[in-house]
Amino acid sequence: MLDLNIVIAGAAGEGIQTIGDVLTRSILELGYSVFTWTEYESRIRGGKSSYRIRVSEKMSNAPRHDADLLLVLNEQAREHYAGLLNKTGVTLAETGEDLQTVAVPFRSIAVEQCKSKLYANLVAAGALCMILQIEFSVLKQVLTRRFAAKGEEVVRLNLVAARAGYAAVQSVPHTQQLALETRDRAYSFLSAHAVIPLAAAYAGCRFITAYPMSPATGIITAFARDEELGVFVEQAEDEIAAINMAIGASYAGARAMIATSGGGFALMVEGVSLAGMTETPLVILIGQRPGPATGLPTRTAQEDLLFAIHAGHGEFPKAVLAPSDPQDAFAKTVRAFQLAAKYQIPVILLTDQYLADSYFSYDKFESENQPLTAHIADPQAISDYKRYRLTADGVSPRLYPGQSKHLVCADSDEHDEGGHITEDLAHMRPAMVQKRLTKRKQLQQAIALPAEIHLLDAETVLIGWGSTRGAIEEAVSQLRAKGTAMGAIHFTEIWPLPDYVFAGDKQYISVEGNATGQLSYLLAAEYGIHFSGTVRRSDGLPITADYIKKEIDDRV
Amino acid sequence: MIEFNDYKSEIENQWCPGCPNFGILTALKRALVSLGKEPHQVCLVSGIGQAAKLPHYLRCNLFNGLHGRAIPAAIGIHVANPTLTTIVTTGEGDCYGEGGNHFLHALRRNPDITVIVHNNEIYALTKGQGSPTTPRGEKTRLQFTGVEAAQAQMLSTAIIYECAFVARGFAGNMNHLSELFVSAIAHRGLSLVEVIQPCIIYGTRLVSWYRERVELLPADYDRRDRTAALETALAQGNRIPIGVLYEGPPRPLFAERYRKRMGEQPLAELPLIRQKTIAARLAPWNRNQ
Ligand SMILES: Cc1ncc(C[n+]2csc(CCOP(=O)(O)OP(=O)(O)O)c2C)c(N)n1
């Protein structure tokens, strides 16, 4: 079964993105499943960055670090990434004499053929296609489509460069191993942060405010670019304004969301509490990156789980969902809006840089979803309206101001049923505390149980959450293939934790993209389970199956 | 017909007896009545402070949010339902201190809301600390040896930031204040009314100190002259002019482009987006469907 990992490495500004995109598109055309992820530094030019393309005959949506084919665009990249190359791998570089290297002088070919070094990346893309034995016509079609908007001359020059690169590869070591053929398959190919805005629009989102911050900036940008979605977009002066604007809009009846990363969310926290107190629905996306403080702006982490769960002073219900992949991100985004509206609470969607920037392949991508309910009451059916009317399930009928003659009063102070400040400690305060607790109980019963992977006969169980699902599943299946009784439990609806029973006769190992084991801390506290081991990664790179296996081996 | 009593709230008022805030409350009710607004067409938005309690004392929709955050909440409300008359009632600590950044950027954005700042030159609810507008040198219950920072001049700041309606009123002159509110609410775009509201408990000066100095702008005052308005707003003499200091030509409104596209109805009443629209956007990625 073919499973090939291609690494394209170079500096920011050298056109890695174009090479990666063009090659990915070409390989998708052939009918392979493709999974890509990127890692890069927080700068505009220079440094070291890479684009990883995993090609397989069946859906393999998980990252690999090693390289079967490595393109290095400069010497610094060669030094930094050479260690990734597998024993039988091939390097494509400007120079090199050894048997494992294909040398193509990208820059001089570009200057010679196109009168500009700027086309060196296309020369490299052409050479990569030759090494992978992709017909030039496939590449030509992809390039023509990609550059069409820039005019005929640009298309022509790009084709000239790519063809020159293609022709420059004379012979390839280990050719067979790298040869791709045309297959009769086609996959959906999507990223989480590309589908989340669409899912939000589908769920009725009409209002987004944000202050730019990686890796969440793409969310608001997508709405701004696509005016036909009809979502109001505003770049706020800071994250505090962003959340308060969104809460105002939601109070006034609009489905609203905000998007940020951990540092921006830190500024928003007072607003989370405000949404809890005023019982205003709100969806908050946190694209995690490593902290503390500014941390590593362009890298990945799962460091903000406990922060998200505990965010906000005082006691109030909120939900925290952590999608595992783009398909799940679509469903969870719609669900976030639904939960927020139904229970009139803030709902947090936890993604991360890895999930934001990676593209996954699917046999079929599901964008139909659960039926949508507005959860806004009919003013005609109400005679004496009180925004915080005490009810059996803690949820009060919601109207918005201006909807009818009923007045809608929302208050951040402790309030009475009518939404006015109260200091009635004997009756009203306890009743409102109870109201919020009752909503929490209702919400908790709605939370989905974690996914169970080969759990029945498992003796050792990996437990993870969010974007590590692909790596965990892959590690489990590889270890099972070797005869280990391995299984996994994976959480995507994390807070409030559902009523779940952990079997007592298994060994549990937590797998998390942080240094302290935040989920394991939570599970130990809530369910009293004991962890016999941990796999933790906090260097800013995504967890892979190899990483999990190595960590387990090192310990056993 | 709307009457004064339609705005009467049953909520117990927590202000100190004799507080000039009562004058602002009455002036605002009168203004809303004379504009013919019904309570359900009005949304009062506030943060936290004595001033920010006003929405509870006037029967209409209200959003009493966090300290300093009235303006962003009001912007969200106004965008979500432009059919509402959205009015912020806030203290100068709430608006210029904790919420200063939002105030500046709201001036740039120019949403069609009215901002009424109760300026008592002190943090009253927290019992007497200096506020951004406490005059330099005044001793407070925290700045025991006198406030060292300069007094914030936010009316002039508003003029510089191209706010097209900038007024100063006096809580002790209810008729005049009510007229200011009427013009401010009728104005399209952000209108700012800063109201002198001496604090009778923690204020460093007596109400009479202000009363003696307040005077109406002269009849021949040209409120359209921006430079003169700035001079008037900055003037530090023994007189405190009240009235509309500046009224500029109409500026583009916040969310105008969006509203031209979507119409004026509340966002909650827009139809759900069709599955087809979503599917069309996913199509280029769905090579298999
Ligand atoms: C985040 C936050 N910080 C501080 C406070 C305490 N606080 C409440 S009102 C206020 C100052 C209010 O001053 P001002 O806006 O001038 O209103 P006033 O009470 O004088 O009418 C402060 C500091 C708070 N409620 N929230």
Side-chain angles (χ1 to χ4, degrees), chain A residues 270, chain B residues 48-51 67 91-94 98 120 122-126:
Chain A
E270 60 163 19
Chain B
I48 299 297
Q50 283 294 80
H67 186 41
E92 86 286 1
D94 202 38
E98 190 86 311
N120 58 5
I122 204 81
Y123 281 10
L125 185 58
T126 47

Side-chain angles (χ1 to χ4, degrees), chain A residues 272 307-312 316-320 345-348 443 495-496:
Chain A
V272 179
F307 178 36
I309 281 168
H310 297 304
F316 59 91
K318 82 160 94 61
V320 178
I345 53 165
V347 178
I348 294 172
L443 171 67
W495 196 258

Side-chain angles (χ1 to χ4, degrees), chain A residues 335-357:
Chain A
R335 179 148 166 81
F337 277 94
Q338 289 295 94
L339 287 176
K342 179 161 185 195
Y343 299 102
Q344 304 173 14
I345 53 165
V347 178
I348 294 172
L349 273 173
L350 270 180
T351 66
D352 53 53
Q353 178 270 331
Y354 156 71
L355 186 57
D357 290 339

